[in-house]
Amino acid sequence: MHDGEAIDYTPTADVAAGAVVVQGELVGVARQPIAANKLGALAVAGVFDFPKATGSAIAAGALCYWDATNQRATTSSSGNKLIGKCVKAATTTDTSVLVRMSQ
């Protein structure tokens, strides 16, 4: 049907470009703004810059999860959804982490 790198998505509220959307165990990123009740697309593959907490380091190759409560990537799987693997180590002072999405 298609390459599977993006999926159709129709939100009930406006979604900003770069927003992370969780649907069950599926995590996607809006590459462009999506208006409420309009068909758009979420990327479910590729490398994206996800926000992370300062004070925590993430090693290259580490599994990363989306913490929807705090709206950031983490290495803690507890209560969070798998995003993919870190592709470039993030230091404690970094505010984001590069993740290759794989679900």
Side-chain angles (χ1 to χ4, degrees), residues 64-87:
C64 292
Y65 300 85
W66 183 249
D67 175 351
T69 301
N70 296 300
Q71 295 291 293
R72 62 185 180 206
T74 179
T75 56
S76 173
S77 63
S78 181
N80 301 316
K81 306 297 181 182
L82 179 65
I83 304 170
K85 293 179 182 170
C86 174
V87 296

Side-chain angles (χ1 to χ4, degrees), residues 18-21 27-30 43 46-53 58 64-67 71-74 82-85 90 94-103:
V20 177
V21 176
V27 179
V29 176
V47 178
F48 291 88
D49 204 16
F50 288 88
K52 74 162 199 65
I58 299 178
C64 292
Y65 300 85
W66 183 249
D67 175 351
Q71 295 291 293
R72 62 185 180 206
T74 179
L82 179 65
I83 304 170
K85 293 179 182 170
D94 290 330
T95 59
S96 63
V97 59
L98 282 174
V99 177
R100 179 184 175 271
M101 294 181 77
S102 58
Q103 302 173 59

